[in-house]
Amino acid sequence: AGDLPAARKQLKKALALHPANRNALVALGDLYQAEGHWDAALGQWREGVAALHEAAARTVENRSAVELGIAYAFARGQQRDSAVVYLERSESTGSYDQALVFYELGDHDAGVEMLEQALTAIPSQVTRLRGDPTAAAMLADPRYAEVIRRLGL
């Protein structure tokens, strides 16, 4: 899945030059998540949210993606109440990331339903899903194969 130590080094260089770079903050959070460092991921995503709120370009999509990343980190850390707060804050509906959060929270029915909505809207996300280590449990769910079959993916 790539050279994570080299990616971390490059992201830290980018942040040394531009400490409020939301993309680098979130990407470093994603990297920590991929390595299983949930507290570090959560800290980076929180910094990403703070940078978003301070940035001039506050698009709903970016803010929602970061908030769903934080919700996922809380869900992985078994902090359900905090995960739900960030899940509700996100203004996303039927998104891939939202599906992962619901699934991680143990609401597998909602997770699979959201996944179907996300793949219906953007079928190419199936490629992301298949390569995403955080989606392994959802991929093992027999309903996933049924969604893929039903959508012809």
Side-chain angles (χ1 to χ4, degrees), residues 2-129:
D3 185 350
L4 297 181
R8 183 182 323 101
K9 184 177 179 181
Q10 289 302 312
L11 288 168
K12 287 188 176 190
K13 278 185 183 179
L15 287 169
L17 295 170
H18 303 284
N21 180 324
R22 184 205 69 84
N23 291 329
L25 289 167
V26 172
L28 189 55
D30 292 346
L31 184 143
Y32 288 143
Q33 175 188 354
E35 294 176 328
H37 302 293
W38 301 108
D39 290 338
L42 187 58
Q44 288 303 132
W45 286 324
R46 282 185 171 155
E47 286 185 47
V49 169
L52 268 175
H53 290 292
E54 294 172 11
R58 292 184 184 175
T59 65
V60 171
E61 293 83 15
N62 287 343
R63 187 172 56 248
S64 289
V66 172
E67 288 174 344
L68 286 170
I70 293 170
Y72 182 81
F74 275 129
R76 286 289 297 194
Q78 299 180 358
Q79 298 179 35
R80 183 179 182 77
D81 292 343
S82 296
V84 169
V85 166
Y86 278 93
L87 183 61
E88 289 173 351
R89 273 191 200 173
S90 100
E91 297 177 25
S92 180
T93 57
S95 77
Y96 172 89
D97 294 314
Q98 193 177 32
L100 288 177
V101 173
F102 274 108
Y103 206 88
E104 191 63 38
L105 286 171
D107 190 344
H108 297 174
D109 293 338
V112 171
E113 182 180 319
M114 292 288 167
L115 179 65
E116 185 166 6
Q117 289 176 23
L119 294 177
T120 298
I122 307 172
S124 63
Q125 288 191 98
V126 74
T127 303
R128 176 182 173 202
L129 176 69

Side-chain angles (χ1 to χ4, degrees), residues 123-146:
S124 63
Q125 288 191 98
V126 74
T127 303
R128 176 182 173 202
L129 176 69
R130 289 178 178 150
D132 185 350
T134 63
M138 194 180 310
L139 289 173
D141 190 312
R143 293 172 294 179
Y144 163 76
E146 177 57 27

